[in-house]
Amino acid sequence: MLLEHLKTKLDAIEARGQYRVQCVTQTPTAPQQTLTGPDGSPQARLMFCSNDYLGLASHSALAVALAEGAQRWAGGAGASHLVSGHTGAHEELARTLAQWFEPHVPQAKCLGFSTGYMANLAVIATLGDADTDMFSDALNHASLIDGMRLAKASVQRYAHVDMAALRAQLMLSRAKVKLIVSDTVFSMDGDLAPVPELLRLAEEFDAWLILDDAHGFGVLGQRGRGTLEHFGLASERIILLGTLGKAAGLSGAFVVAHERIIAYLLQAARPYIFTTASLPAVNHALLTSLGLIEGDSGQHRRSRLQALQQQFRAGVEALLRQYPTLPWRLLASITPIQALVVGRNEDVMALSKALDEVGLRVPGIRPPTVAEGQARLRITLCATHTAADVARLLQALFMLASTQVGL
Ligand SMILES: *Cc1c(COP(=O)(O)O)cnc(C)c1O
């Protein structure tokens, strides 16, 4: 019965054109990859889809630090943090991150997690108790939404970055605690939330602000501290989530907030308490990653990213001028996430497939991940791309644009 039931559901996914398959990659995370083809043969691809924005995942210093961490700590943590799994490596990483954010979150403390998904469930489900109203941007990440599903709080969604709508909801709320929840950099659009306005509203209405900086951490700000450094913001009302599997090039996540909030999460957050602590060696290597992010190497990589983003945007803008009847639209973005909205699902999938055929890996993103009629190519740039890589992508897009308009 279960197997038939699932077959019906799988068939429906396929009929909607939403059936997904995963490719097997045989090389470390880097723009140039080798995949295993359907017949088992190796296939070369230039990819524009990882979130390894600084290109640290394949940095030799991280491989060395991981090996060193394995020498020092060997294998797993063996238990959850509160039992016996909280090693010196976990503690040192948490202390370092708390210090990093002290200028932005006074009296900061930090709690580490194995993944960002778990960190978001932990913070939102635990702080969102029955005395709380939560206010959530319509384009927030799935992990924030799932946290809200677990929370006892009442949840109100406001239209994407619509500060007037948020203000109206805050004004009507009579809850003891109010929590505003937002991505800082939206993962499918690449745009920035108006974080200074969010903080002003939090102050005006005595609310608190949960910010998910998964795509800002390491990328934005002079020293790579992320969105708070970019905007120069500081407030004890900020609860900051960051992930360590994107720009930091490894895996894990953290929450930085006022020490009372961290103290409560440690006592009450089930996704913190009931899971084995992450690998000590990874925590050890993350300290090297933080050093790279804030140092000269990080600054150099961030400025390379800026140059690649400008090159890409200038190229697409030239393309849109050359083919004005094409219904493509490049969304505003100062981040490595560049969204080229194409519209129809079948069009975006055909484009993605055509790019794949010339060796370029650019995913098409369709509903339900984005709104109906907003299907898009989601291009992500990494500091390890070259100007020639971006030129190759632009050339392929020009070629496809010319066939679309029937020239
Ligand atoms: C990737 C992502 C997460 C999840 O982080 P993981 O460490 O990959 O589990 C959370 N929030 C946002 C906005 C993300 O993009």
Side-chain angles (χ1 to χ4, degrees):
M1 197 51 225
L2 172 65
L3 298 184
E4 281 161 39
H5 180 58
L6 297 184
K7 172 135 193 351
T8 313
K9 294 216 226 189
L10 284 167
D11 289 347
I13 293 171
E14 190 152 15
R16 287 197 302 271
Q18 292 179 347
Y19 198 86
R20 298 173 174 207
V21 290
Q22 47 193 10
C23 301
V24 180
T25 308
Q26 302 290 1
T27 42
T29 302
Q32 303 285 349
Q33 342 179 266
T34 306
L35 309 180
T36 307
D39 58 354
S41 65
Q43 297 186 346
R45 288 287 181 283
L46 175 61
M47 74 157 166
F48 290 92
C49 42
S50 95
N51 303 311
D52 174 33
Y53 303 122
L54 297 183
L56 295 184
S58 55
H59 196 297
S60 61
L62 290 196
V64 170
L66 272 173
E68 201 182 82
Q71 292 286 342
R72 166 73 176 83
W73 298 100
S80 61
H81 284 272
L82 289 167
V83 175
S84 63
H86 189 70
T87 66
H90 294 95
E91 182 65 18
E92 196 181 343
L93 179 67
R95 283 226 191 103
T96 306
L97 283 166
Q99 272 167 16
W100 265 37
F101 288 102
E102 178 68 34
H104 302 287
V105 184
Q107 290 180 262
K109 279 267 186 337
C110 173
L111 210 57
F113 289 84
S114 305
T115 73
Y117 185 88
M118 279 173 58
N120 281 346
L121 289 193
V123 171
I124 296 191
T126 310
L127 298 182
D129 63 16
D131 292 323
T132 302
D133 276 358
M134 289 199 290
F135 306 88
S136 168
D137 188 288
L139 293 191
N140 275 343
H141 189 260
S143 58
L144 296 168
I145 293 166
D146 290 357
M148 292 185 253
R149 287 182 180 157
L150 281 176
K152 303 240 167 20
S154 105
V155 178
Q156 300 184 51
R157 235 167 65 125
Y158 58 89
H160 181 48
V161 303
D162 185 342
M163 294 298 100
L166 172 59
R167 158 179 272 278
Q169 292 176 352
L170 285 164
M171 206 136 52
L172 289 175
S173 170
R174 293 285 163 268
K176 199 154 118 191
V177 178
K178 304 181 195 80
L179 288 174
I180 302 167
V181 180
S182 182
D183 282 17
T184 52
V185 177
F186 289 88
S187 50
M188 294 300 138
D189 290 45
D191 60 330
L192 274 179
V195 184
E197 278 79 2
L198 288 171
L199 185 57
R200 261 199 296 281
L201 286 173
E203 278 160 359
E204 182 178 345
F205 291 98
D206 189 22
W208 294 70
L209 188 53
I210 296 180
L211 294 173
D212 179 347
D213 206 23
H215 299 280
F217 181 75
V219 170
L220 296 176
Q222 171 77 15
R223 291 191 299 168
R225 303 288 204 256
T227 303
L228 296 180
E229 187 188 12
H230 173 80
F231 284 116
L233 298 173
S235 166
E236 68 167 14
R237 294 180 181 277
I238 294 170
I239 299 162
L240 181 73
L241 292 144
T243 64
L244 301 165
K246 290 175 177 153
L250 286 161
S251 72
F254 63 87
V255 180
V256 165
H258 184 279
E259 58 188 351
R260 175 96 39 89
I261 296 172
I262 297 299
Y264 182 68
L265 290 173
L266 183 87
Q267 300 304 318
R270 297 167 67 87
Y272 184 76
I273 298 168
F274 297 107
T275 191
T276 301
S278 58
L279 275 181
V282 171
N283 287 265
H284 176 88
L286 278 164
L287 290 162
T288 298
S289 179
L290 295 184
L292 290 170
I293 288 173
E294 73 173 346
D296 291 346
S297 164
Q299 290 189 20
H300 176 69
R301 283 163 191 255
R302 282 186 288 281
S303 53
R304 275 202 50 77
L305 255 183
Q306 291 288 335
L308 294 167
Q309 285 161 211
Q310 275 162 23
Q311 181 193 354
F312 178 75
R313 294 189 68 84
V316 173
E317 279 155 15
L319 179 154
L320 297 177
R321 276 196 302 276
Q322 185 166 338
Y323 300 105
T325 56
L326 210 57
W328 298 1
R329 201 158 51 88
L330 181 64
L331 300 187
S333 164
I334 61 158
T335 72
I337 302 172
Q338 299 290 327
L340 184 58
V341 175
V342 166
R344 302 190 324 163
N345 296 357
E346 48 279 30
D347 292 344
V348 85
M349 293 327 282
L351 277 177
S352 179
K353 183 158 176 287
L355 289 168
D356 190 65
E357 278 159 10
V358 294
L360 299 170
R361 196 170 176 192
V362 182
I365 310 282
R366 293 161 285 176
T369 309
V370 295
E372 270 319 314
Q374 301 276 303
R376 67 195 59 183
L377 293 174
R378 176 181 183 267
I379 294 113
T380 57
L381 298 167
C382 299
T384 38
H385 279 120
T386 62
D389 291 339
V390 173
R392 192 175 147 200
L393 173 61
L394 287 168
Q395 195 182 18
L397 288 171
F398 266 92
M399 190 260 297
L400 291 169
S402 73
T403 61
Q404 299 265 317
V405 295
L407 292 179

